[in-house]
Amino acid sequence: MPDVRSICAIGLSGQLGLHGHLPWEGDQRPEFVADVARFFDITRGHVLIAGPKTIGAIPDFARGDRTLVVIRSHEDPEEVLSRFPDRVVYVGGGPPVWDVYARHIRHWDINRLPYDGPADRWFDPKWLVAG
Protein backbone atom coordinates (compact mmCIF):
# COMPACT_ATOMS: atom_id res chain seq x y z
CA MET A 1 0.00 0.00 0.00
CA PRO A 2 1.28 3.49 -0.74
CA ASP A 3 2.01 6.22 1.78
CA VAL A 4 -1.30 8.11 1.53
CA ARG A 5 -1.36 11.79 2.46
CA SER A 6 -3.42 14.88 1.88
CA ILE A 7 -2.43 18.50 1.56
CA CYS A 8 -4.94 21.31 1.71
CA ALA A 9 -5.44 24.91 2.71
CA ILE A 10 -8.35 26.09 4.79
CA GLY A 11 -9.63 29.47 5.85
CA LEU A 12 -9.73 30.67 9.45
CA SER A 13 -13.09 28.96 10.02
CA GLY A 14 -12.31 25.84 7.99
CA GLN A 15 -13.45 27.18 4.61
CA LEU A 16 -12.45 25.03 1.64
CA GLY A 17 -14.46 26.10 -1.36
CA LEU A 18 -16.93 28.53 -2.85
CA HIS A 19 -18.84 27.87 -6.07
CA GLY A 20 -16.40 25.14 -7.12
CA HIS A 21 -13.22 27.13 -6.49
CA LEU A 22 -10.93 28.03 -3.63
CA PRO A 23 -12.57 31.06 -1.98
CA TRP A 24 -9.24 32.93 -2.05
CA GLU A 25 -8.33 31.93 -5.60
CA GLY A 26 -6.35 34.70 -7.28
CA ASP A 27 -5.44 36.43 -4.02
CA GLN A 28 -1.91 37.72 -4.58
CA ARG A 29 -0.99 38.37 -0.96
CA PRO A 30 2.29 36.62 -0.05
CA GLU A 31 0.77 33.93 2.18
CA PHE A 32 -1.65 32.82 -0.56
CA VAL A 33 1.02 32.79 -3.28
CA ALA A 34 3.34 30.86 -0.95
CA ASP A 35 0.61 28.29 -0.26
CA VAL A 36 0.20 27.51 -3.97
CA ALA A 37 3.98 27.26 -4.44
CA ARG A 38 4.22 24.99 -1.40
CA PHE A 39 1.51 22.68 -2.78
CA PHE A 40 3.39 22.24 -6.05
CA ASP A 41 6.71 21.80 -4.25
CA ILE A 42 5.43 19.16 -1.81
CA THR A 43 3.54 17.11 -4.40
CA ARG A 44 6.39 17.20 -6.94
CA GLY A 45 7.53 13.69 -7.86
CA HIS A 46 4.54 12.05 -6.21
CA VAL A 47 1.09 10.85 -7.23
CA LEU A 48 -1.86 13.23 -6.96
CA ILE A 49 -5.29 11.62 -7.16
CA ALA A 50 -8.38 13.82 -7.30
CA GLY A 51 -11.62 14.36 -9.13
CA PRO A 52 -11.68 15.69 -12.68
CA LYS A 53 -12.22 19.32 -11.70
CA THR A 54 -9.19 19.40 -9.35
CA ILE A 55 -6.92 17.57 -11.79
CA GLY A 56 -8.16 19.82 -14.59
CA ALA A 57 -7.11 22.88 -12.58
CA ILE A 58 -3.46 21.79 -12.40
CA PRO A 59 -1.54 24.22 -14.61
CA ASP A 60 0.54 22.98 -17.53
CA PHE A 61 3.85 23.80 -15.81
CA ALA A 62 3.05 21.31 -13.01
CA ARG A 63 1.79 18.41 -15.11
CA GLY A 64 5.15 16.89 -16.01
CA ASP A 65 6.67 16.51 -12.56
CA ARG A 66 3.97 14.54 -10.75
CA THR A 67 1.66 11.66 -11.65
CA LEU A 68 -1.89 12.99 -12.02
CA VAL A 69 -4.77 10.55 -11.74
CA VAL A 70 -8.46 11.39 -12.14
CA ILE A 71 -10.59 9.37 -9.76
CA ARG A 72 -14.32 8.72 -10.07
CA SER A 73 -16.94 8.04 -7.41
CA HIS A 74 -17.63 4.51 -8.69
CA GLU A 75 -14.00 3.44 -8.17
CA ASP A 76 -12.98 1.42 -5.13
CA PRO A 77 -10.41 3.41 -3.07
CA GLU A 78 -8.41 0.29 -2.19
CA GLU A 79 -8.11 -0.64 -5.87
CA VAL A 80 -7.10 2.89 -6.85
CA LEU A 81 -4.45 3.09 -4.14
CA SER A 82 -3.14 -0.41 -4.91
CA ARG A 83 -1.98 0.88 -8.31
CA PHE A 84 0.77 2.88 -6.58
CA PRO A 85 2.66 0.55 -4.21
CA ASP A 86 5.70 2.12 -2.59
CA ARG A 87 4.71 5.62 -3.77
CA VAL A 88 3.58 8.70 -1.92
CA VAL A 89 -0.01 9.41 -2.97
CA TYR A 90 -1.64 12.75 -2.21
CA VAL A 91 -5.43 12.75 -2.13
CA GLY A 92 -6.70 16.06 -3.42
CA GLY A 93 -10.12 17.37 -4.05
CA GLY A 94 -12.57 18.25 -1.37
CA PRO A 95 -15.37 16.86 0.79
CA PRO A 96 -16.70 14.19 -1.63
CA VAL A 97 -13.21 12.75 -2.13
CA TRP A 98 -12.10 13.01 1.49
CA ASP A 99 -15.35 11.41 2.69
CA VAL A 100 -14.27 8.28 0.80
CA TYR A 101 -10.46 8.38 1.15
CA ALA A 102 -10.00 9.84 4.68
CA ARG A 103 -9.65 6.42 6.32
CA HIS A 104 -6.61 5.73 4.13
CA ILE A 105 -4.84 9.06 4.73
CA ARG A 106 -1.94 8.71 7.19
CA HIS A 107 -0.82 12.33 7.17
CA TRP A 108 -2.81 15.55 6.77
CA ASP A 109 -0.84 18.66 5.83
CA ILE A 110 -3.25 21.51 6.55
CA ASN A 111 -2.27 25.12 5.98
CA ARG A 112 -4.54 27.69 7.60
CA LEU A 113 -4.78 30.84 5.50
CA PRO A 114 -5.93 34.30 6.65
CA TYR A 115 -9.25 34.04 4.82
CA ASP A 116 -12.44 34.62 6.77
CA GLY A 117 -15.02 35.13 4.04
CA PRO A 118 -17.89 33.10 2.62
CA ALA A 119 -17.69 29.43 1.65
CA ASP A 120 -19.97 26.58 0.68
CA ARG A 121 -17.47 23.78 1.40
CA TRP A 122 -15.86 23.25 4.80
CA PHE A 123 -13.14 21.07 6.27
CA ASP A 124 -14.65 18.31 8.41
CA PRO A 125 -12.49 17.35 11.42
CA LYS A 126 -13.99 13.82 11.33
CA TRP A 127 -11.68 13.11 8.37
CA LEU A 128 -8.70 13.34 10.72
CA VAL A 129 -9.90 10.39 12.81
CA ALA A 130 -11.56 8.29 10.10
CA GLY A 131 -10.45 4.73 10.19
Side-chain angles (χ1 to χ4, degrees), residues 3-55:
D3 178 359
V4 184
R5 305 175 185 189
S6 191
I7 181 172
C8 66
I10 63 174
L12 295 174
S13 300
Q15 300 97 320
L16 281 171
L18 181 63
H19 308 302
H21 299 281
L22 297 172
W24 49 83
E25 194 166 316
D27 193 314
Q28 293 300 306
R29 287 180 284 172
E31 54 269 57
F32 294 92
V33 172
D35 178 69
V36 173
R38 184 174 177 275
F39 172 86
F40 288 123
D41 185 50
I42 287 174
T43 61
R44 183 178 296 115
H46 301 299
V47 177
L48 174 61
I49 65 172
K53 189 166 192 165
T54 299
I55 295 296

Side-chain angles (χ1 to χ4, degrees), residues 23-91:
W24 49 83
E25 194 166 316
D27 193 314
Q28 293 300 306
R29 287 180 284 172
E31 54 269 57
F32 294 92
V33 172
D35 178 69
V36 173
R38 184 174 177 275
F39 172 86
F40 288 123
D41 185 50
I42 287 174
T43 61
R44 183 178 296 115
H46 301 299
V47 177
L48 174 61
I49 65 172
K53 189 166 192 165
T54 299
I55 295 296
I58 302 295
D60 289 342
F61 78 84
R63 291 183 169 273
D65 55 5
R66 71 204 79 239
T67 303
L68 301 174
V69 178
V70 173
I71 54 175
R72 303 289 183 165
S73 59
H74 68 274
E75 293 179 290
D76 176 55
E78 287 83 9
E79 192 282 320
V80 170
L81 295 171
S82 74
R83 296 180 212 161
F84 309 103
D86 305 320
R87 297 280 311 269
V88 174
V89 176
Y90 282 92
V91 179

